[in-house]
């Protein structure tokens, strides 16, 4: 479903879906979740924000493009993978700068919610 969300005082159109008690909202290339039972924000998110060294699937979907290779250097916020879910295309980004350590999926693969897709070794700064 399409919903309107307000981020930093600005309204945006977003896609939302309720899966297994979790409300998933995708807005401006970021994914946010909320426990539908408690109304509390959860820390599940993928593709942007946070400081995770692993890019995870924010929802069940199909991997359509892998934009990096193992051993490649990535910057924080760099797109690493594209997937389709809920009839939308989502670009998942690295949260941190570093080196791609492992890619745990292939193009065309159906992936489950929360699957680790790309592991990044943080750069030593």
């Amino acid at each position: 479903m399409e919903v309107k969300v307000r981020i930093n005082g600005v309204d945006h159109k977003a896609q939302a879906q309720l899966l297994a008690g979790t409300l998933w909202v995708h807005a401006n290339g970021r994914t946010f979740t909320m426990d539908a039972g408690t109304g509390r924000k959860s820390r599940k998110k993928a593709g942007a924000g946070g400081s995770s060294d692993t890019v995870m699937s924010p929802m069940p979907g199909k991997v359509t493009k892998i934009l990096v290779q193992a051993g490649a250097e990535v910057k924080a916020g760099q797109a690493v993978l594209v997937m389709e879910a809920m009839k939308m295309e989502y670009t998942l980004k690295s949260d941190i700068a570093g080196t791609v350590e492992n890619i745990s999926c292939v193009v065309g693969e159906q992936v489950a919610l929360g699957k680790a897709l790309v592991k990044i070794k943080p750069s030593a700064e």
Side-chain angles (χ1 to χ4, degrees), residues 11-56:
D11 291 338
H12 301 272
K13 288 183 180 177
Q15 291 294 314
Q17 185 170 18
L18 183 62
L19 294 171
T22 300
L23 179 65
W24 293 84
V25 179
H26 306 277
N28 289 344
R30 298 184 68 190
T31 302
F32 304 90
T33 63
M34 180 175 288
D35 184 334
T38 65
R40 292 186 194 166
K41 289 182 188 176
S42 73
R43 299 189 58 83
K44 297 176 190 173
K45 61 182 181 178
S51 61
S52 174
D53 62 354
T54 304
V55 177
M56 300 175 68

